[in-house]
Structure formats: structure tokens, C-alpha cells
Amino acid sequence: MKKTTTFRQMLTSPWLEFIMEAHNGLSAKIVEEAGFKGIWGSGLSISAALGVRDSNEASWTQVLDVLDFMSDATSIPILLDGDTGYGNFNNVRRLVKKLEQRGVAAVCLEDKLFPKTNSLMDHKVQPLDDIDEFAGKIKAGQDSQTDPDFCIVARIEAFIAGWGLPEMLKRAEAYHKAGADALLIHSKLSTPQEILAFTKEWNNRCPLVIVPTMYYATPTEVFREAGISLVIWANHLLRSSIGAMQKTAAQIYKEETLLNVEKAVVGVKEIFRLQRAEELDRAEELYLPKK
Amino acid sequence: MKKTTTFRQMLTSPWLEFIMEAHNGLSAKIVEEAGFKGIWGSGLSISAALGVRDSNEASWTQVLDVLDFMSDATSIPILLDGDTGYGNFNNVRRLVKKLEQRGVAAVCLEDKLFPKTNSLMDHKVQPLDDIDEFAGKIKAGQDSQTDPDFCIVARIEAFIAGWGLPEMLKRAEAYHKAGADALLIHSKLSTPQEILAFTKEWNNRCPLVIVPTMYYATPTEVFREAGISLVIWANHLLRSSIGAMQKTAAQIYKEETLLNVEKAVVGVKEIFRLQRAEELDRAEELYLPKK
Amino acid sequence: MKKTTTFRQMLTSPWLEFIMEAHNGLSAKIVEEAGFKGIWGSGLSISAALGVRDSNEASWTQVLDVLDFMSDATSIPILLDGDTGYGNFNNVRRLVKKLEQRGVAAVCLEDKLFPKTNSLMDHKVQPLDDIDEFAGKIKAGQDSQTDPDFCIVARIEAFIAGWGLPEMLKRAEAYHKAGADALLIHSKLSTPQEILAFTKEWNNRCPLVIVPTMYYATPTEVFREAGISLVIWANHLLRSSIGAMQKTAAQIYKEETLLNVEKAVVGVKEIFRLQRAEELDRAEELYLPKK
Amino acid sequence: MKKTTTFRQMLTSPWLEFIMEAHNGLSAKIVEEAGFKGIWGSGLSISAALGVRDSNEASWTQVLDVLDFMSDATSIPILLDGDTGYGNFNNVRRLVKKLEQRGVAAVCLEDKLFPKTNSLMDHKVQPLDDIDEFAGKIKAGQDSQTDPDFCIVARIEAFIAGWGLPEMLKRAEAYHKAGADALLIHSKLSTPQEILAFTKEWNNRCPLVIVPTMYYATPTEVFREAGISLVIWANHLLRSSIGAMQKTAAQIYKEETLLNVEKAVVGVKEIFRLQRAEELDRAEELYLPKK
């Protein structure tokens, strides 16, 4: 099945589905091997891994290059966190075309302004895009698809911006009407209160996606009962890798030897396995002359 | 002090120095924060993080783009694992120029053939470059520098290829004469036997660099006594991150909740800190109009 | 019809077909507007336009980025001059995959060594690849296709290298057997003598492609009678642009005014037309809110 | 002399200076060979050459890659047409840093909104940036320089947007105060009327730059007397190349032979010369083993 078709089915199936964050080819492969059916190409994680801020410091083609590697390394669908679409409707058109070519299954666009500010930064103003302008982006994205199963998820930031439920619903209605395949309802509360208030009013009119980074303590059953279609575990591979690398770096720096680290980390052969070294061995048998 | 000057001093100082592997801007930043004086831009780690093999599947400019981010994220020197130089002497000339521009302090070139095979793959043939051809690469690289402190490290693969000490010494002599700022003596034995055989004969005629990935159990004091200048801890941040991400992915996949993972990983704020979010806050104060 | 299918039909049709060189999105568009059915993505022209030598100074992904723009700007098939495949069979596999994704219809690979030397440089040694090694590249490329109509053209350089007809035929046989969709017979004589010697012996066993840059005075009827399938006009747009730009630059430099140049060059509006400005105007009507 | 220093001197010298448009490494080289002291990296020409629109369809790093080739191919300063800075003040900071690294001498920023609209499109609304916001970009750019001779030119679009002289002067004052090294006064009238109205009021308080694409018939002496520092010939190499390529393509398409084209275009050897083939010959003598 095409990656796009798989992802569309995840959105429209009656079950709650889960996708896991990745930020490069390696972590994407790890997500697939863990059993997940899809990958979240997180803007925060990708920028952090590159070493820049989640403020569109990396250009959209630099992000695209990361996605190209992620897509090549895996066979499950990727939903790209496409920020604001990196400009206006016209930039969205190019983005959708390029994502399709590179085997990315879907993109999530958020109704904020370029360059973006990360939604979890409490102290920041989070200005929202004009509703009609953003609806135009969604329409333009839809019209640029050549694969009808490519999906566009509209991420509504009105809770994040402090505008409350009425604005959320107004925007949800507009983006749904503009053709969004799903809505991502974002909240940075530590409880699912905003999410549940929305799902109650929205009444299942289209697939909903959530990111429970801040309300992580909510039992998953709550999301299931609320009719959510897709949960994004948004940045936890990156966060686990940071802690591990900091600990390893500190230990090697202090001890000036690998002796105690060697047993605590995977072997070099595990890197080779993840790189699919054995496939190259077989290909060399096939394509290189015997010497 | 310029990054290049710092690195040159690390090579020529009477002390044993250490540099630590990184594979993107984030891990490079972690290396610097741990206290290390320099960074090893590992070909194996960079390719693995991208999701491809250590066989020049990523183009040299894709590697360069990774280095650009790593250099921007840090203030300590980076020694790039430049494989074979990605072609002939002329490709080396372009590489050196581009690395200097991007703030990379030094490059290590190995005397194998493009496209390369990872040296730790036991079952692979490891064909060596012609000595004069490789010496020409070193000379060409030296002549392309505009910063006299940029360093070229010549990595000799004769032990890896099974050619023994006489070939190592012959090549060491040729590359030293060609202008290499240091020699990297590589070995995949589990003991330092080959390294020590070389250092004894070489007798300190120029700085030596080693990569004790396979002979990790050797006490560091042994390297110090043998007169080694620089030890490269070559891939351990990547290896620690793989284990951590695999564990986290497996746990979230199984438990379908973040509850137990949340406490085990660093917070989102730690990502922001590593991205230097506060610097952007200060800059916004300075450059954005008050609203 | 898919671009790949169009190109395959051009190779296999009973008529002599022609494709014209382009080196960026603009010149590709001009080729299409002139009526040509296909585009030659010339390695010489692309490298020259970038400002580097035809010696693999640009990385293969930098060339790929040029092709991405060329393919986006046009609807006719592009045959990329893929040099030696930029490495071994494994690099060819990646190349084919990436070209397919970007809408490039076909690639031409030549049996020389990486980094390549331009075939028209008389004073240069032109070392040939091992026959089996190159046949392995062709097989690997064929096995990497997901679109069966993607074509691989094998370019034989034995005449260029001075090895004569027997070597040409031996190589032709091997590459044909390895699955090449067509053979490009290259010659730098000022007459078609080598080409005709080959076609006579080859006897139409598969489609043949030629590049009459040096034997340009040969009447096209001669190629038709010899059963050639495709003629590549290899670098003439670039060459005409160089002369025009040199003349214009010299005139403006000397006269210090645009007065006489204005009438001699196309208007700014012609640039806008080539960029399809009017499509954006219509899209703005559709997707931007009325103000 | 550094390229940046040369460019600064061109701005501050008492003479009227001229720079000529280029859009890739090849045209940049032609500009230098014609005798010009500097190069205009035109946004319109670069986007058109790539095959996209002058509406930030190419990402800023794709533009940067073009500049990298242009800078490598030449030894005279390049002033990049940096549009709006591709985002906010923070994007400008990254841009300046990257331009300095790649040997670009200066950048011109315009006070419009991202994504930009080409200024010569009569039928388009041309919304202006907030004055303080744009002044913040200039300040941020200045503070990001490591080379004090790198220059930032502030391009004022108030005439283009139809706001008239008072707004021009208000903005000129603000950008001058923010640290702009020069002001680019843009006009799309067919006479120099707006330009002269401005210069009269501005009274030489800082270097002024103009782009006489539309008022091309104005004698250059008029600019000299008005105290202009720098004239940009903005897109004429591209425009001359378009006409030449269209003519050549049409002729070859129609005649199906190179016979008549061959004499009208430069020879293949001229391409080799522009690529500096002979430098590589000499380098091969130096760095390749004798065979």
C-alpha cells in the first residue's frame, strides 16, 4: 500500500492510532522498527537536531532534505510538521509538490505567522494568521496534490494563543470547509480540558489529531473515548537521546576512557545493522565483478 | 583564538588531548558543553544519523551541510572525518576551501578508494590508494588553505587492509613528507599492539592520532606513554543515543502513554536551552519594535 | 503521458528524434517552447553554468538540485548526462531513485572513471572503466527503477579513448546484455566516420544515440540513414548565451548606459512570462482573501 | 584587498560606480572579465535562471548556494539582492553570517513583506514593511557582521508602492539612522523624476544606489550630477541570454542541423577557458603522479 493511503486510513479508521517523533533517517528507522505505523517529522526536533531554533532558522529546503533521508530510510508514512507552510499559499503549493515527490505522506500546517514561534514557549506572543488567508493555504495545498491520498492536517493554535473555544470552533469550521483532511487541536495545558471541550462541541465532524506533550498524564483511554483519531508522541526520541548523550559525554570526559561506556552503549555492529549493511553486501555480490 | 589555531595547538602540545564524536548540531553542542576541547565529525556517525551507509551514499555537499550546522552551533574546533576526500586531489582542493569557509578547523583524509568502505567491517576488502596519488591529495589540500592553521590529518589504513608495519611506515613517511600535519594510525585489533609497534618505530616525528574504538580496554596511560597527541572517541554519542531511542520507542509503543517516559527523558525546556532560546529573547528585545 | 514513457517512445520509434541541451530551469523552458520533444541535461553545460569544471567539482546532489528545477519548469522528458554515475554501482542506485522522484525521465552513464574528464579535451588521457564493473552499474540502475519506462543510456567512450572499433563493439555487446535501453556512441572526430563504422557493424540491435558536436557539418540525413534513434544537440544554448552575455557586458561596460542595449535584449516582461507570472496572478485570485 | 573593502570603497568613493547583474557562476565570471568592479546578484535573474518566480519560491539557502558558486568563480565583490531578508530580523542575522562565510561582500534588503513581489510588476499591490521592524532588521544585520567592511544596503520601496516623497524621506532617515551603509532608491517610472526629487532633498547624507531599468534612457551624466554612488545594471545579461537562446533553439529545431549555428556561437574551447581548464592541467602536473 502507498504510504499516503496508509496514513489516510489511519486518520479515518475507527481506532485511535499513534505516531512517533523522528528527526533524521536514523530515528525514523527506530520508530519503524519499534512497531509504529507512522512518523511525526517534528519541527522542534528537526530544528533542534540540526542545532538551530524552532523559528524557521533552517530553510524549508533544508527541512525537506531531512525529510528526504527520513523517507528513504523507512517504509511507513511520515506526517511532516510543516509549520506555517514557510510563507504564503504559493509556498505551500511548492511544499506539497516537493513532499509528494520525496515520499512524504502528509503535512500539518499551523495558523500562525512566518517565521514561527514554538507553541510551548509560555512567555511568547503567538500571533495567529488571518482565517481566510490560512484557509486559502489549505485549498492551495489540496489543489497541488497529484496523489489524492496525500493529506493536509490543519493545526489550530487558538488555544495556544489564548483565544478560547469560540475562536477554535470558528477556525475549525473554516479549515474543515477549506478541505483539511484532519484538524490538529493543540493545547499547552497540563490537563486535557481544552481538548475535551473542543471534541464535545465538534462532534466528530472530521478526524482529530492531538499532541499530549503537556497533558501527558492523561490516560490514553480518555482520548479514545473523546473520539480522537491520531495521537502524536511529539519529541520523546529526541529528548531521550539528549539525556543519553549528555550522560555519555560527561562520563567519557571525566574518565578519559571508554571502558565503562562500552558496555552501556550499543555496539558498532548495531549501527551497521541499522544502516542495512547486509543489503549492500548482497548487492555487491550481484553487481560487482568477482575479483 | 581561532578554532584552527586551537586545533593546531592540540596536535602539537606535549599533552594527550581528546576529541569526541558528534553527528549534527545538537550532539556537537553536547560535546562542547561536556568540556571537550574539540569535536570529531565522524563519517560513520554522520551517515548513520542521516540514515544512509558509510559508503559515500550522502554526497560530499550533504556532509558539508551537516558540518555547517555543527560549526554554527559550537565554538570549539571540529576535525572532519573526510573519508578519501570524496574523489581525487581536485575534489580535496574544493573540500578544503569549503571547510575553511564554514569554520571547520581540520580534515582527516584516508588512503583508501572512493567510494569508501567502513574500516571496522571485518569481512570487506579494504583496497588502499596509491601512495603517490594520496600524497598528492595532501599536498593539494595544503596548497588550498588560506588559513595556515587549518590542519590536514593523513589516516593510514595499511593495518586495516592487512599490509603490516613496513607498509604503514612507508606510507607514514610519504604523507609526512607531503605535508600532513598529523598521522592517524588506525587499527581494528582489540589490543593496541599495532599502534604501539608503529609509535616505537615512528619515534615522534610528527603528531599521532588514534581511534581506540576496538582496543577500548587499553588504559589511556598507555597512549600517553606512547607519545600519542590526540585520541578520538569516535562514535559513542551516536551509540548511546541509539540505545536510548530504541528503549523509549519500545516503551511508548507498548504502554501507549507517556506517563513513565516523561520522567526518564529531559524536559522540553532543555531542548529550548540547547537551542539557545534565551539569546533570541534578548535579540527580540533589541531588534523588534515594542508593541 | 508520463515523461518516461515519452522518452522511451522517442528511443524506440522508427524516426530520428532530437533533444536539445539545457543547463537550468530557464533554458529547459526555452527548449520546450522551441518545440523540442526532450531535453539533454548536459554535464558540461550544467557545470559551466554553475561556474565549475566538468570534472565532478559540483557534487551529484548539486547536479540533482539543478535537475529538480529543470524538471519543475517543463513538461517534456529530460535525459540527464550522469557522467560515470558519480561513483560505483551503489551510487548509481541512489541516483536512479532520486532522478525518478524528481521527474527526470532517463540517465546516460559513461564508462569512464570518477572524477571524470570531459570527452572533448584532446590533450587529456581518458581512462575507461572495467567492462564488467560498468555493466554492473547498468544492471544495478535497472534494478533500482520503480517506473519500468525510466531509461538508462550507456555511453561508450572507447573511440574517445582511442581504443577503436573492436573495443567499441565488445563494450556495446556487454552493456546491451546488461540491460542498457540505448547506447550512446561518442566520437570527437570532425567526420562521422567512427559513428558509421559502428552502426554498420552493430546492425540496429538496439537504439543508438549520438552527439554530433564535433562532426556538426554532417548532414542529418546521414544519421537517419544509419539508423540512429536520437541526436543530442549538446551545448549550443549555453554557447549562444555566452556570446550574447559577453557582448552585452562589453557594450554596457564601455558605453556606461543601457540605451543601445535595451532594444537588443528581450524585455523584463518576457522574463515574467517565462516565469509564468500570470499563473500566480490567477492563483492569487483563487487563494488569497479579497482585501 | 578584501572583496568587502573594495565594495565599501565603491560606495564611498566620489565617483559614480557601476555593477552588473549575474545569475550564476558563469555570468558572474563574464561580468568580471568585462571589466566591471562588482556584481549584482539579482533576485529576479537568479530566480528566473533557476526556473521559478521572483516570489521567494526558491528558498534562501537555494539562493545562497547560487551565491556560493558565483563567489567562487570571481574575485570582485558581489552585492546580493536579498529581498526582504527572507523573514524577520533573526533570518537576516543568519543570512549575513552565511553571506560573509561564502565571500559575498554586501546585501541589499528591501522594506517589503515576505514572500516578496517583484517591484516592476505594475498590476500588483506592493505592501511595505513597518518602518521600525525594517530598521530592526538593518540593526540586526549590522550587529551580525564579523567583517566591518561587509555592507548592508537598505532598499526603499515607497515610490514603487505609490507612497511618494515624504514617506521615502521618512524611511530613508530611519534606515540611515539604523546603520544602513547606503540607500537604494527604487523607481519604476520611465524618467528619473522620483530619483532626482529624492536626491535633491536627501542632500548626500549617505551613499545612494539606483537601478535604472525603467528609466534607462536617462543619460548617465544625470546620475553623476545628482551625486549617486552606484548604478546597478540589473538584469541585462539574463535578458540578452534569453533572446540568444530562443533564437538558437528555434533555428536548430527548424533546420535539424548545427551547420548554421556553429559559426554563430562561441566554441566549446571557450567554455573550457571560462571554466579555467588550464588551471586544472597545471594542478594535475603538480599533484598527480607521473604515469
Side-chain angles (χ1 to χ4, degrees), chain B residues 5 25 34 39-40 44 56 63 70 80 91 107-108 121 129 136 138 151 159 163 184 204 227 234 243 249 272 280 285:
Chain B
T5 311
I39 297 165
W40 170 243
L44 174 60
N56 300 299
V63 173
M70 288 172 61
L80 170 63
N91 300 277
V107 66
C108 176
M121 292 187 150
D129 198 357
I138 294 170
C151 285
F159 281 144
W163 289 56
L184 189 157
N204 264 315
F272 294 156
L280 184 56
E285 282 293 312

Side-chain angles (χ1 to χ4, degrees), chain C residues 4 22 32 64 79 81 85 107 121 151 184 205 233 280 290:
Chain C
T4 49
E32 179 169 18
L64 191 68
L79 169 60
D81 175 7
V107 67
M121 291 188 149
C151 285
L184 191 158
R205 291 161 58 198
W233 310 122
L280 184 56
K290 308 289 174 278

Side-chain angles (χ1 to χ4, degrees), chain D residues 75-91:
Chain D
S75 61
I76 55 175
I78 302 171
L79 169 60
L80 170 64
D81 174 6
D83 294 350
T84 62
Y86 316 109
N88 71 3
F89 82 91
N90 190 43
N91 300 278

Side-chain angles (χ1 to χ4, degrees), chain B residues 30-78:
Chain B
I30 288 173
V31 169
E32 178 169 19
E33 288 192 348
F36 286 100
K37 286 161 98 171
I39 297 165
W40 170 243
S42 157
L44 174 60
S45 293
I46 289 172
S47 60
L50 291 173
V52 293
R53 298 190 192 91
D54 189 18
S55 312
N56 300 299
E57 290 187 349
S59 78
W60 73 272
T61 50
Q62 290 179 317
V63 173
L64 192 68
D65 288 345
V66 173
L67 269 286
D68 204 0
F69 282 111
M70 288 172 61
S71 180
D72 281 357
T74 52
S75 60
I76 54 174
I78 300 172

Side-chain angles (χ1 to χ4, degrees), chain D residues 241-262:
Chain D
S241 79
I242 289 174
M245 292 193 291
Q246 287 174 329
K247 187 163 162 285
T248 302
Q251 187 171 2
I252 296 179
Y253 180 73
K254 186 182 162 205
E255 302 182 355
E256 293 192 349
T257 173
L258 300 171
L259 202 56
N260 298 311
V261 165
E262 182 68 23

